[in-house]
Amino acid sequence: MTGKEFEKAINAAGYSQRKFAELLGVDRKTIGARCLADEVDSLFAYALLGVLAENSARQLADVVDLMGQKCHNQTA
């Protein structure tokens, strides 16, 4: 993955370089440097996928919780 592709992926995921860096616990300049690189270390791409997976899991858990509450209210 090129730096430009990495930056597009970060933006498509809804993050700025700064916010993504905060999520990873690294300096924004670290992410900025990767966005300028000819090739990005796959660990950074996997980190973005991990953040997206965590967010998706959280959203799914919220939906399941809401559905469970709705079902409980209907039977109560």
Side-chain angles (χ1 to χ4, degrees):
M1 168 180 277
T2 68
K4 287 184 181 187
E5 292 168 335
F6 183 59
E7 185 171 27
K8 285 181 183 179
I10 292 169
N11 293 333
Y15 297 108
S16 64
Q17 289 181 21
R18 181 174 308 283
K19 181 62 179 173
F20 184 58
E22 287 174 9
L23 291 170
L24 296 185
V26 300
D27 190 271
R28 189 214 53 85
K29 292 178 184 178
T30 301
I31 300 302
R34 297 317 178 273
C35 291
L36 296 173
D38 291 331
E39 187 173 340
V40 175
D41 185 325
S42 60
L43 292 177
F44 284 94
Y46 288 131
L48 179 58
L49 291 174
V51 167
L52 291 173
E54 181 181 5
N55 289 344
S56 294
R58 190 176 302 117
Q59 290 172 343
L60 180 58
D62 289 345
V63 169
V64 169
D65 186 45
L66 288 172
M67 291 175 66
Q69 290 175 12
K70 184 176 180 179
C71 289
H72 177 70
N73 290 341
Q74 289 178 350
T75 59

